[in-house]
Amino acid sequence: MKHFRLIAALSVFALLSITTNAQPKDHCNWQERMMSEKIAFFTSELDLTPEEAQAFWPLYNKISKEKMESQKAMMTSYHALLKALETGSDKEIDKLLDAYLEAKQAHNESAKDEATKYRKVLPGKKVAKLYVAEEKFRRQHIRNMKNGWNKNNGNRPAEGR
């Protein structure tokens, strides 16, 4: 059974590699590496069957893309608000504050809908494992980044590490 899971994970990775190869190499190298690490980590943590993996990964990728777009919209409105605080009028600041709060609320509401979508393709226990795995993966990468910075006397690690 583990062989089937590995094959499923490698198949998903191959598909992702094909789609990311259309992007410039210098821009997506770290993204490819991060995604391959994430696929391996999640496959291990979630113990997905081949059928579950086939349904899960496209949904996960879609939700991840939506999250990134939502986060980008929220940060764009945040930066506009930040800039307006320096030079804008009270009326402009109020308008931009409302836009920021709306973007933040939309981001939070989309996060609530994720579990419902995941439960359509995975049992509840594996959905719970997904959220735990995401947090573990995030913390692991923060720790790795911090350790890389410490090894380089506080400087960012060189690209390719």
Side-chain angles (χ1 to χ4, degrees):
M1 191 56 123
K2 292 247 182 211
H3 295 293
F4 290 119
R5 288 186 194 107
L6 181 60
I7 291 169
L10 291 175
S11 298
V12 171
F13 177 67
L15 288 172
L16 289 171
S17 295
I18 290 168
T19 59
T20 55
N21 281 338
Q23 299 176 6
K25 285 288 180 200
D26 59 335
H27 174 70
C28 64
N29 188 28
W30 71 269
Q31 291 172 327
E32 287 177 14
R33 194 171 56 244
M34 180 74 77
M35 184 52 88
S36 64
E37 289 175 19
K38 186 180 273 193
I39 289 169
F41 187 81
F42 284 14
T43 300
S44 172
E45 291 287 313
L46 299 179
D47 197 29
L48 298 173
T49 66
E51 296 80 17
E52 288 171 337
Q54 188 175 13
F56 169 74
W57 285 110
L59 178 61
Y60 183 82
N61 292 335
K62 181 182 177 203
I63 288 173
S64 293
K65 183 179 178 184
E66 291 169 356
K67 275 182 174 178
M68 285 179 24
E69 290 169 358
S70 175
Q71 181 71 25
K72 184 178 178 180
M74 189 171 62
M75 292 312 296
T76 299
S77 63
Y78 168 79
H79 288 295
L81 178 61
L82 190 61
K83 185 176 179 180
L85 284 172
E86 295 173 8
T87 59
S89 66
D90 286 348
K91 186 177 179 179
E92 181 184 6
I93 291 170
D94 281 342
K95 182 179 175 183
L96 291 170
L97 175 59
D98 289 340
Y100 170 70
L101 293 173
E102 286 175 21
K104 191 171 182 169
Q105 183 176 358
H107 181 74
N108 291 338
E109 287 174 3
S110 66
K112 291 178 186 179
D113 295 335
E114 287 176 22
T116 303
K117 292 175 184 176
Y118 287 132
R119 283 182 170 147
K120 291 180 181 178
V121 298
L122 294 177
K125 185 174 183 177
K126 289 190 179 184
V127 173
K129 284 183 175 184
L130 168 64
Y131 287 107
V132 170
E134 283 183 320
E135 185 61 23
K136 280 181 175 179
F137 186 79
R138 186 185 71 80
R139 288 178 184 214
Q140 175 183 319
H141 277 271
I142 290 171
R143 202 170 31 255
N144 290 345
M145 249 189 324
K146 182 179 175 184
N147 289 339
W149 287 338
N150 290 341
K151 289 177 185 174
N152 289 306
N153 298 323
N155 297 322
R156 280 189 80 178
E159 181 61 33
R161 273 194 173 181

